[in-house]
Amino acid sequence: MKFGHFDDQNKEYVITSPRTPLPWINYLGCENFFSLVSNTCGGYSFYKDAKLLRLTRYRYNNVPYDSNGHYYYIKDGDTIWNPGWMPSKTELDSYECRHGMGYSVFTGVKNGLMAQLTDFVPMGSTCEINKLTLKNTSDKKKDFSVFSYVEFCLWNAMDDMTNFQRNFSTGEVEIHVGGSQLFHKTEYRERRNHYAVYAVNASVDGFDTDRDSFLGAYGENSAPSVVVNDQSKNSVASGWAPVGSHHLKVALEPGEEKTYIFVLGYVENPVNEKWVGRAEDGIINRAPADALLARFDTTEKADAALAELKAYWDKLLGHFSISSSEEKLDRMVNVWHQYQCMVTFNMSRSASYFESGIGRGMGFRDSCQDLLGFVHLIPDRARERILDIAATQFEDGSAYHQYQPLTKKGNADIGSGFNDDPLWLIAAAAAYIKETGDYSILDESTPYDSDPSKATDFMEHLRRSFNYTINHLGPHGLPQIGRADWNDCLNLNCFSEEPGESFQTFGPSEGPNAESVFIAGMFVKYGKDYVKICRHKGLCDEADTAQKAIEQMEKTVMDAGWDGEWYLRAYDHYKHKIGSKECEDGKIFIEPQGFCVIAEIGKDEGLCLKAMQSVEKYLDTKYGIVLLQPPYHRYHVELGEISSYPPGYKENAGIFCHNNPWISIAETVIGRGNRAWQVYTRTCPAYIEDISEIHRTEPYVYSQMIAGKDAPNFGEAKNSWLTGTAAWTFLDVSQYILGIRPDYDGLIIDPCIPDTMDGFTAKRKFRGNTYHITVRNPAHVQKGVTKLIVDGATIDGNMIPAINGTGHDVTVEVTMG
Ligand code: BGC
Ligand code: NOJ
C-alpha cells in the first residue's frame, strides 16, 4: 500500500495522506542551520549542533507521536485546523505534503480556504523560512485568524529535558512589535552570545511568548486556549517555557490570496558585545537579527531564496545522473540516493527521528563511510571533513569513536577501542584522492587528539592507521577486534577471568585474544589503497613492506578465517570460533562475506564464489539479507550486546541494510550482475514503495534496519535516514553495478548489470570535466567491456585516463560483451 508517490520532475516525494505509518520526515538546511520536518509539520531546528544549540523543543517518544513542531493554526469560525493536519488533527478537505530537496511544502484545504506552507532554510543563512500563503477558494468573503507557534528549547537539549530546577528560571524574551517596523520579534536568549528570533513580515494583532498562557493551564497544542478564544494574550514569558506565537487577523475576498513570511533565526551578538545582563538592559544586539530578517522580508525575496536553493540542488545532482529503462533506478540514482548521502554528511548519526541529537555526535567510522557517498558532490568539504576526523585520531593510530560537531573534539565519554576505525580513514582518503586526484591532502599538517602541538602530515595519520592493525594482531594473526569492529554489538571482550565473578554486561573493553575476520578483510581491501598511495609518494620500501603484510593477512584469513563454506566472523576471548558451523547459533555472519570478497581473499581458490553462494543459501530473505543465522536465541554475555536483541532485530539477525550493498558489490567482484541487482533492489526504497504499510518508514530513503525473518514483524523498518546504507548503496549502484568508478589515474568503466538490461547512459563530472557515457549491452552479458571509445578513439582496457585541464565534454561509448 502506498501513501504517496514520487514526482521525478520536481525531485519530490508527494505524501497524500497525513496518516503515514510513521512520521515521514525531511531535512532542511545544507550548511549550519538545520531543521527536521515531518509530513505533518512536526520537528525542530538547531544551529550546527543538535545537542548544544537547539532552537526549538521536540519531545521524542511522545504520545501522540511527533506532536511538536513549527505550527500554524487557522481559526475559521468554529473550526481550528492546520495546513499539515497536526497538531489539531482536524480532518482536511485535502492534504498534500511534498518533501523536496531541502524544502517541504504542505497544502491543506478546509472549508473553502487553502493554506500552503513552504518550509526551507535559505543558502548562506541561519534561519528557517515558513512561507504561508492563504487563498479564499470559496465564493464568500472570509475573515479568520492565523496563529503561529513554536516552542523554544533552552539551547542545550539534554539540559532542557532534564535540568528543570535550573531551566524553568532561565527563559527570557524581548518583544518588538511595530506597525511601522513591520516585524514582531520574539526573542529568547540565554545570557550568552546568541539568541533566537521569530518574526513575520506583517504587523500583528497580538502575540504570545509564554506557553501556559498560549495553551491554557493544562492545555494542549491540539487546541490552544488562545486559538480557541481567537485572541492572543500578549504574554511575556519569564522563566518556564518560552514560546513564539503571532496572531494575524486575515480577511480575504473570494479568490484573493495573501502571503506571509515567517522567519525563525539563530543570531549571534558580535563577539565584542557584553554578554552578561538582563534583557531589559537592552543587551541583545538586534542589528544582526534585523539584517537577517531584512534578507527575507518580502515574498519576492523568499521566493528568490527558494529558487537559489533549488538551483543549488540541481547543480549538485548534475554531477552524476543516468538514464535507463528502469524508472525506479533512475530516480534513486539521480535524486534520492545522493540526497540521503548529503543528509548523512550533514548529520552523521546525530539527529533524526530515531537519533535524539543528544546521544551521538559525528561517528569516526560513520563519517568516513558517509564520505564515500558525497565526495563527488562536494570534494572541498569532503577534504575538510577528512582532516577534521583525522585530527581526533590518537598518536598510536587509534581514534575517538565519535566527536562533537561544534567543538570538533573527540568524545571522551565514549573513547576509543573500536579497532576498525583507523582503517576507515584510509578508505575515506583513498576515495577522496581517486575522485579529485588531489594528493596534496597528504601533506596537510594534522593534529592528534585535537592538540595542535601534536601534529604530523596527514600521510603519517594514514601510516599509523595502517600500522594500528599490524600492531594489534591476535593469537591467529588476525586483527584484534577491540571493543567492537563495524558490528558495535559484537563485544568479544566482555569476559571475566575469575570464576564466580560476574561478567561485565555492557561497556565492552579491549583484550588481546578476540579477533575479527571482518577487520582482516578491511585491512586487505584498504591496505591495497595504502600501498598505491605509498607508491605514488615514492615510498617504495614502505609499499613493499605493506604489500607483504597484506599478503600475509590474506594467507591468515585463508588458514584461520575460512570455515569451509564461508568466512568465519571472529574468535572470542576464549579463542572460540564465532560465525562457524560449529556454533550453536550465529553460524554465519554477513560482514566478513562482504568484505573478504570485496578484498578478493581466496578468489582464485574459489572462496569468494562459495561465500556468496552461502549468503544466498543461508542469509537471503525476500526483504533483504539478514546479518546472521541462526539468530542468537539466548543471551551470551561473552558476545556482548549482540544477543541482547530478540531474534530478527538489529545486529541479531535483522536485515542490517548497511551491509547488503557490501554483498551486492561483492557479487559484482565475481561478475554476477543478476544477483548484484537482486540484492540492490530488494532493499531499495523506490522498489519497495508498494509495501509501505509493512516497511513503515519513508519510501524515499533507506532505514538502518528491517526486521529479519526471525522477528514477528518481518519486513518492518526502523531508524530511517542516518545510516551508512546511504553511502554504500550509492557506491554499489553507481560504481559497481553501473560501474562508473573513479580511480587514481582515471575513470574506470566496468558495469556489472543484469543481463536483461540493454544498457544506459550517464553523465558524470570527474575532475572538472563532464563525461557523457553510453553503455550498450548487445550480447546481454552481466559483466565485461569489449570496447571503449573515448571522443572517437578506441582505448585499451576499461579506464579512461584522467585528462589535463577542465571544462571539457567527453563522449564515451562502451560496449559490453
Ligand atoms: C546499536 C547499534 C549502534 C550502536 C551505537 C547499538 O545499541 O545496536 O546499531 O551502532 O548502538 O552506539
Ligand atoms: C550503527 C552505527 O552507527 C555503525 O557505526 C555501526 O557500524 C552499525 N550500527 C553496526 O553496528
Side-chain angles (χ1 to χ4, degrees):
M1 192 172 138
K2 294 209 232 173
F3 298 84
H5 55 87
F6 288 92
D7 176 343
D8 295 332
Q9 194 63 38
N10 289 307
K11 306 188 183 79
E12 293 170 342
Y13 193 80
V14 187
I15 302 168
T16 49
S17 162
R19 290 185 181 79
T20 46
L22 290 166
W24 286 0
I25 73 163
N26 193 12
Y27 284 85
L28 315 179
C30 318
E31 296 157 324
N32 292 316
F33 189 99
F34 298 100
S35 302
L36 282 65
V37 60
S38 73
N39 62 307
T40 59
C41 296
Y44 61 89
S45 301
F46 61 91
Y47 177 71
K48 282 191 180 171
D49 189 316
K51 177 176 177 185
L52 299 175
L53 289 172
R54 184 88 63 108
L55 271 85
T56 50
R57 187 173 282 161
Y58 191 76
R59 292 181 186 80
Y60 280 90
N61 212 352
N62 200 13
V63 181
Y65 286 151
D66 190 29
S67 44
N68 216 4
H70 302 170
Y71 290 136
Y72 294 86
Y73 296 88
I74 292 165
K75 166 83 164 120
D76 181 15
D78 290 336
T79 310
I80 295 173
W81 61 282
N82 304 90
W85 185 64
M86 281 286 274
S88 66
K89 288 192 266 182
T90 300
E91 223 45 59
L92 299 173
D93 298 337
S94 89
Y95 157 93
E96 185 188 84
C97 162
R98 290 178 170 260
H99 284 321
M101 304 288 102
Y103 66 90
S104 292
V105 184
F106 305 86
T107 311
V109 177
K110 184 75 185 171
N111 298 342
L113 183 63
M114 193 267 319
Q116 185 168 76
L117 179 66
T118 305
D119 293 352
F120 66 101
V121 172
M123 298 301 296
S125 80
T126 59
C127 66
E128 177 186 316
I129 303 281
N130 296 163
K131 173 189 169 196
L132 181 66
T133 298
L134 302 150
K135 181 170 185 173
N136 182 353
T137 57
S138 77
D139 51 13
K140 294 197 194 71
K141 183 175 181 212
K142 274 199 168 280
D143 286 293
F144 57 95
S145 287
V146 172
F147 295 89
S148 64
Y149 178 63
V150 300
E151 182 178 354
F152 291 107
C153 178
L154 302 172
W155 300 111
N156 179 327
M158 184 62 169
D159 187 88
D160 183 73
M161 275 202 310
T162 50
N163 194 7
F164 310 113
Q165 62 78 24
R166 169 180 151 77
N167 65 41
F168 280 170
S169 298
T170 58
E172 291 174 287
V173 295
E174 276 187 28
I175 294 142
H176 304 280
V177 187
S180 57
Q181 216 186 319
L182 278 177
F183 294 113
H184 160 213
K185 299 177 202 161
T186 304
E187 296 170 348
Y188 161 76
R189 72 185 176 94
E190 225 184 353
R191 292 181 185 182
R192 301 239 169 111
N193 67 337
H194 53 267
Y195 60 94
V197 55
Y198 188 39
V200 60
N201 66 342
S203 40
V204 297
D205 297 287
F207 63 86
D208 277 287
T209 64
D210 172 58
R211 191 183 67 201
D212 276 2
S213 305
F214 181 74
L215 298 180
Y218 296 93
E220 323 181 338
N221 67 5
S222 55
S225 79
V226 155
V227 182
V228 172
N229 298 322
D230 203 3
Q231 193 54 59
S232 286
K233 293 187 182 140
N234 295 350
S235 58
V236 180
S238 175
W240 297 107
V243 299
S245 173
H246 313 82
H247 181 186
L248 300 166
K249 291 186 179 163
V250 188
L252 291 179
E253 297 297 334
E256 191 187 356
E257 68 171 54
K258 269 190 190 148
T259 295
Y260 298 94
I261 308 296
F262 293 85
V263 178
L264 172 70
Y266 170 86
V267 184
E268 281 178 3
N269 283 328
V271 276
N272 58 358
E273 287 293 318
K274 260 205 296 169
W275 296 347
V276 185
R278 296 195 54 76
E280 299 88 274
D281 300 337
I283 296 297
I284 280 183
N285 180 341
R286 282 167 48 199
D290 287 337
L292 176 69
L293 300 179
R295 286 178 58 195
F296 308 109
D297 58 1
T298 65
T299 305
E300 291 69 31
K301 290 183 193 174
D303 287 346
L306 181 60
E308 187 191 349
L309 178 71
K310 289 186 179 176
Y312 167 80
W313 273 103
D314 286 346
K315 186 163 175 227
L316 214 54
L317 297 176
H319 284 80
F320 188 84
S321 63
I322 62 156
S323 169
S324 76
S325 52
E326 284 280 322
E327 183 186 47
K328 294 174 185 171
L329 172 70
D330 292 4
R331 78 165 56 110
M332 287 308 302
V333 171
N334 297 343
V335 183
W336 297 97
H337 281 317
Q338 301 193 67
Y339 187 55
Q340 189 174 1
C341 285
M342 283 300 286
V343 170
T344 61
F345 161 67
N346 288 322
M347 300 289 137
S348 192
R349 303 295 170 271
S350 69
S352 73
Y353 266 30
F354 299 84
E355 297 280 8
S356 64
I358 56 181
R360 299 168 70 180
M362 313 289 285
F364 190 98
R365 80 155 80 88
D366 294 327
S367 291
C368 284
Q369 288 172 85
D370 293 344
L371 195 131
L372 309 177
F374 67 77
V375 60
H376 68 296
L377 294 171
I378 44 168
D380 294 347
R381 295 178 75 189
R383 187 183 206 271
E384 194 184 313
R385 174 64 54 85
I386 293 174
L387 296 172
D388 282 351
I389 296 172
T392 68
Q393 197 174 15
F394 291 105
E395 284 175 289
D396 70 351
S398 66
Y400 276 114
H401 195 50
Q402 285 171 20
Y403 69 97
Q404 215 44 50
L406 193 66
T407 60
K408 296 188 177 167
K409 291 220 165 97
N411 183 338
D413 295 344
I414 301 185
S416 65
F418 295 81
N419 283 356
D420 60 322
D421 274 337
L423 291 172
W424 291 116
L425 191 64
I426 301 181
Y432 171 77
I433 294 172
K434 287 177 188 175
E435 181 66 43
T436 59
D438 169 23
Y439 285 89
S440 75
I441 188 173
L442 300 171
D443 305 325
E444 291 291 343
S445 166
T446 313
Y448 293 89
D449 195 7
S450 308
D451 178 352
S453 73
K454 296 186 259 176
T456 63
D457 62 18
F458 177 59
M459 180 67 194
E460 178 63 24
H461 280 257
L462 297 184
R463 181 173 296 123
R464 294 185 191 185
S465 293
F466 182 78
N467 288 337
Y468 186 82
T469 302
I470 297 180
N471 294 335
H472 292 81
L473 298 178
H476 297 89
L478 289 163
Q480 291 172 12
I481 198 168
R483 289 169 61 184
D485 60 21
W486 173 89
N487 189 329
D488 280 320
C489 302
L490 194 60
N491 316 125
L492 303 180
N493 288 305
C494 291
F495 59 88
S496 166
E497 295 290 13
E498 299 300 322
E501 191 180 278
S502 65
F503 284 106
Q504 211 181 323
T505 50
F506 192 66
S509 55
E510 300 174 56
N513 290 351
E515 297 170 290
S516 163
V517 176
F518 168 78
I519 299 181
M522 275 190 86
F523 178 78
V524 173
K525 160 81 182 147
Y526 296 121
K528 290 178 190 167
D529 281 305
Y530 181 66
V531 167
K532 288 197 181 137
I533 292 171
C534 286
R535 292 217 192 282
H536 180 91
K537 295 237 14 148
L539 302 167
C540 298
D541 292 347
E542 195 180 343
D544 292 343
T545 311
Q547 181 60 35
K548 282 202 192 91
I550 293 166
E551 285 162 16
Q552 178 55 47
M553 189 65 80
E554 288 179 295
K555 279 202 201 81
T556 306
V557 171
M558 286 160 70
D559 294 344
W562 178 250
D563 198 50
E565 274 183 86
W566 55 79
Y567 301 94
L568 275 180
R569 178 64 177 85
Y571 287 92
D572 70 10
H573 167 71
Y574 304 100
K575 304 181 191 150
H576 297 150
K577 292 178 182 171
I578 306 295
S580 157
K581 54 181 176 294
E582 294 166 19
C583 301
E584 173 198 349
D585 285 332
K587 291 177 192 290
I588 171 171
F589 281 63
I590 194 173
E591 307 97 309
Q593 319 316 324
F595 252 81
C596 292
V597 176
I598 291 174
E600 304 187 26
I601 299 179
K603 190 177 172 199
D604 295 341
E605 292 76 7
L607 269 50
C608 295
L609 176 62
K610 200 163 239 173
M612 289 298 98
Q613 286 166 337
S614 296
V615 167
E616 200 168 347
K617 187 160 163 200
Y618 299 109
L619 299 179
D620 225 18
T621 80
K622 61 178 172 177
Y623 297 132
I625 303 168
V626 296
L627 194 144
L628 59 86
Q629 273 299 293
Y632 291 105
H633 289 94
R634 62 179 179 87
Y635 184 56
H636 295 259
V637 72
E638 75 285 6
L639 304 184
E641 191 184 348
I642 191 160
S643 58
S644 70
Y645 286 113
Y649 288 122
K650 296 281 284 186
E651 282 87 341
N652 190 12
I655 298 162
F656 224 92
C657 297
H658 188 141
N659 32 41
N660 274 243
W662 296 350
I663 299 301
S664 184
I665 294 173
E667 290 286 1
T668 68
V669 169
I670 58 168
R672 302 205 306 173
N674 291 344
R675 173 68 178 153
W677 176 254
Q678 183 188 53
V679 173
Y680 166 70
T681 52
R682 279 217 173 125
T683 55
C684 183
Y687 284 86
I688 55 175
E689 191 194 4
D690 290 343
I691 57 152
S692 284
E693 81 287 7
I694 298 172
H695 191 71
R696 301 188 78 219
T697 52
E698 295 90 334
Y700 38 92
V701 290
Y702 284 89
S703 295
Q704 183 202 54
M705 195 252 343
I706 300 170
K709 62 183 175 182
D710 305 292
N713 301 327
F714 181 35
E716 180 191 58
K718 292 196 185 98
N719 201 354
S720 54
W721 284 94
L722 304 184
T723 160
T725 317
W728 276 103
T729 46
F730 182 64
L731 207 68
D732 173 26
V733 70
S734 61
Q735 298 196 11
Y736 293 90
I737 293 179
L738 299 170
I740 302 174
R741 185 160 68 241
D743 203 18
Y744 295 98
D745 301 318
L747 195 58
I748 291 179
I749 312 284
D750 190 19
C752 185
I753 54 178
D755 52 17
T756 48
M757 207 185 252
D758 292 324
F760 59 91
T761 61
K763 194 179 115 195
R764 174 55 152 105
K765 291 228 170 84
F766 179 64
R767 303 192 191 172
N769 301 305
T770 306
Y771 293 78
H772 303 270
I773 304 164
T774 303
V775 175
R776 293 188 185 87
N777 187 18
H780 288 273
V781 297
Q782 296 180 46
K783 193 171 176 167
V785 168
T786 51
K787 201 170 204 183
L788 179 61
I789 304 174
V790 179
D791 276 341
T794 301
I795 293 217
D796 284 342
N798 64 353
M799 190 185 74
I800 311 167
I803 49 178
N804 290 329
T806 56
H808 299 289
D809 280 293
V810 184
T811 305
V812 182
E813 288 179 77
V814 185
T815 309
M816 294 177 68

